[in-house]
Amino acid sequence: MSLFSLIAALLLEQLHPLASRKYLFVWLTRYVNFFQHHLNTGEHKHGKIAWLLAVLLPLCGTAALYGLSYFIYPVFAWAFSVLVLYLTMGFHQFSHYYTEIHQALRDNDLDKARNILSTWRGVSCHDLNYEEVARVTIEEGLLASHRRVFGVIVWFVITMLLGLGPVGAILYRMSQFIYTRWDNQKDVELSEFGMFARQAYHWIEWLPLRLTATIFAIVGDFEDTVYCWRTQAQNWPDPEAGIVLASGAGAIGVRLGLPISQGGLPLDRPELGIGDEADVDFMQSTVGLVWRALVFWIVLLLLLGLATLVRI
């Protein structure tokens, strides 16, 4: 069921991207803000209670609906799993930005590429040159592919194997969303309140990050991927993001990181990967890497399904 749910959700999003995702984002923001507003006293224990309530409520609801739909008729449970993946994966949510930037650089329209990248990142990228735009776009694409696709798949598969249905996809995206909303190191009160959300997200991300890096190694340049992962990932300001970026850079043989211009000033960043400087050809190589990794997941789920049938 996991395999066909994943394929159906991917096809559905490609054929009919979720136009109302922004309304879902607004609803989720109000939902997590409710717990923050009523439970935030600036203490760690209250942040823990708020996180558990905010996450467990949708998880229990998802598990109950999956169990009920499976009891009525298994195909309803499958359709519900497709719906959950459709709402949580968001492949098209970032791929169209990447494609448009790629095409703009191919057309030598640097200003257009800068504008699209600025919209995508929410940060002005008008000081970046051609190579920097390509490099930052590859970085954003690798991170988005993990956070919007591969991380969701990992937890979706885990809970499906445990018989809990698509609960894992909700767990991953909810923990990620709450982390981004409550993790504010500059606000002392919110920092204490969001500490458990930060810890929980790191725990939940531990396995998906390493599976993504491992699959990049399998479908890319294995030796360079492992080398960059082991020696460079920890140097990135966010070591968890560094795992995805370093392994992705090693897999396709491109140099990421490095200083860039931001706000008229140089932004120092460590070097990730080995090989040549980023350009439109490496952007295409990144697309190939992501698709190969996705195909790897599909094949893996197919083998798991066949193994289950043989055991039965």
Side-chain angles (χ1 to χ4, degrees), residues 120-257:
W120 185 10
R121 299 184 70 210
V123 177
S124 176
C125 299
H126 294 92
D127 294 329
L128 303 184
N129 59 33
Y130 176 94
E131 187 269 333
E132 290 172 340
V133 169
R135 190 180 345 134
V136 173
T137 301
I138 291 173
E139 294 169 3
E140 292 294 327
L142 288 171
L143 289 173
S145 68
H146 169 74
R147 293 168 178 168
R148 305 291 183 182
V149 182
F150 301 129
V152 176
I153 292 176
V154 171
W155 277 102
F156 172 77
V157 172
I158 289 173
T159 55
M160 288 293 286
L161 291 175
L162 293 175
L164 300 174
V167 169
I170 301 293
L171 171 65
Y172 181 80
R173 289 310 303 275
M174 283 297 299
S175 64
Q176 184 184 83
F177 187 81
I178 294 175
Y179 164 69
T180 59
R181 300 293 302 179
W182 290 357
D183 184 42
N184 190 336
Q185 301 291 338
K186 297 180 180 180
D187 187 325
V188 177
E189 183 177 293
L190 189 58
S191 177
E192 284 295 318
F193 178 77
M195 184 179 296
F196 183 78
R198 182 166 60 254
Q199 293 171 340
Y201 179 64
H202 293 332
W203 295 333
I204 291 169
E205 266 282 47
W206 191 92
L207 180 61
L209 284 169
R210 285 153 181 82
L211 283 178
T212 295
T214 300
I215 292 173
F216 281 171
I218 294 171
V219 301
D221 188 314
F222 187 88
E223 291 185 1
D224 287 349
T225 301
V226 173
Y227 170 79
C228 295
W229 176 6
R230 294 182 60 185
T231 62
Q232 299 176 339
Q234 67 272 16
N235 298 328
W236 196 250
D238 179 358
E240 292 182 336
I243 292 175
V244 176
L245 296 177
S247 60
I252 60 176
V254 67
R255 295 169 62 204
L256 300 179

Side-chain angles (χ1 to χ4, degrees), residues 250-267:
I252 60 176
V254 67
R255 295 169 62 204
L256 300 179
L258 303 172
I260 60 172
S261 300
Q262 186 167 299
L265 298 173
L267 177 62

Side-chain angles (χ1 to χ4, degrees), residues 2-178:
S2 300
L3 171 62
F4 295 114
S5 298
L6 174 60
I7 293 175
L10 289 170
L11 290 175
L12 183 60
E13 193 186 29
Q14 290 300 310
L15 295 173
H16 187 70
L18 186 61
S20 60
R21 196 178 296 276
K22 62 180 180 179
Y23 301 109
L24 179 63
F25 177 82
V26 171
W27 182 86
L28 281 175
T29 300
R30 292 174 179 171
Y31 175 76
V32 299
N33 284 348
F34 171 84
F35 293 97
Q36 179 183 333
H37 177 73
H38 288 86
L39 296 176
N40 184 10
T41 60
E43 296 185 22
H44 176 267
K45 63 179 180 180
H46 292 153
K48 182 177 182 179
I49 294 172
W51 188 93
L52 291 172
L53 288 173
V55 172
L56 288 179
L57 286 175
L59 293 190
C60 291
T62 301
L65 287 173
Y66 177 80
L68 178 62
S69 59
Y70 193 89
F71 176 77
I72 296 173
Y73 200 66
V75 74
F76 293 157
W78 172 80
F80 180 67
S81 298
V82 173
L83 175 62
V84 171
L85 281 176
Y86 180 59
L87 294 174
T88 55
M89 278 208 305
F91 191 89
H92 191 270
Q93 190 177 359
F94 71 88
S95 64
H96 73 281
Y97 285 120
Y98 192 96
T99 301
E100 291 173 2
I101 295 170
H102 186 204
Q103 187 58 51
L105 291 180
R106 282 202 177 280
D107 296 338
N108 292 316
D109 192 343
L110 182 57
D111 288 337
K112 181 179 179 180
R114 287 168 171 168
N115 290 334
I116 299 170
L117 184 58
S118 298
T119 302
W120 185 10
R121 299 184 70 210
V123 177
S124 176
C125 299
H126 294 92
D127 294 329
L128 303 184
N129 59 33
Y130 176 94
E131 187 269 333
E132 290 172 340
V133 169
R135 190 180 345 134
V136 173
T137 301
I138 291 173
E139 294 169 3
E140 292 294 327
L142 288 171
L143 289 173
S145 68
H146 169 74
R147 293 168 178 168
R148 305 291 183 182
V149 182
F150 301 129
V152 176
I153 292 176
V154 171
W155 277 102
F156 172 77
V157 172
I158 289 173
T159 55
M160 288 293 286
L161 291 175
L162 293 175
L164 300 174
V167 169
I170 301 293
L171 171 65
Y172 181 80
R173 289 310 303 275
M174 283 297 299
S175 64
Q176 184 184 83
F177 187 81
I178 294 175

